[in-house]
Amino acid sequence: MSVESLEEWRKKLAERSTSTSPSTPNTGSEPAGPELTDDDMASAFRVFVVLQSARMKPFTTKSDFARIAANEVAICASEGLISTAVKPGTYSNVWMITSEGMEQMEVLDEFLSTRH
């Protein structure tokens, strides 16, 4: 193992940061920035489905369901409607409904049932 001087290391770092990548991307990526949700009824229904799933059959954080409903899972988690917390400081890999989620599910159930 050889020892490099700080000056040599900085020079190599500068050369590396100005080089271009020899490879080109072969897959497209989604545009950056937030994607707004669509109409209220469809959004409410998808959130309701996530809450109902978390209540009836809690799903894992890496399940196919969690991937398919990633946006709605993020909304529910951000709003405290679902959680992986088992007790303070202890977490699992399963999304479960919270008491706030149960309350929100009731509100959504009423909203969706009045909007045939």
Side-chain angles (χ1 to χ4, degrees):
M1 181 163 136
S2 65
V3 176
E4 267 185 85
S5 73
L6 180 58
E7 188 175 323
E8 290 172 345
W9 179 79
R10 285 182 177 162
K11 184 178 176 183
K12 284 184 182 179
L13 185 62
E15 289 171 358
R16 200 176 330 153
S17 66
T18 59
S19 67
T20 59
S21 174
S23 62
T24 57
N26 60 2
T27 58
S29 61
E30 292 186 21
E35 182 179 319
L36 301 177
T37 56
D38 52 7
D39 68 275
D40 290 343
M41 184 68 117
S43 295
F45 180 73
R46 289 193 303 269
V47 167
F48 181 82
V49 168
V50 169
L51 293 173
Q52 188 175 42
S53 297
R55 178 178 177 240
M56 303 298 283
K57 188 178 177 191
F59 51 94
T60 64
T61 56
K62 295 181 181 179
S63 66
D64 288 339
F65 180 79
R67 286 185 180 105
I68 291 167
N71 291 335
E72 291 76 20
V73 169
I75 291 168
C76 291
S78 296
E79 296 295 324
L81 306 178
I82 61 174
S83 177
T84 59
V86 177
K87 61 182 182 178
T90 304
Y91 302 91
S92 72
N93 68 336
V94 176
W95 287 112
M96 299 165 282
I97 195 164
T98 63
S99 56
E100 293 85 1
M102 292 290 291
E103 292 172 12
Q104 185 63 39
M105 200 166 98
E106 290 175 13
V107 170
L108 287 171
D109 186 35
E110 189 168 323
F111 173 77
L112 293 169
S113 64
T114 60
R115 307 272 181 168
H116 302 16

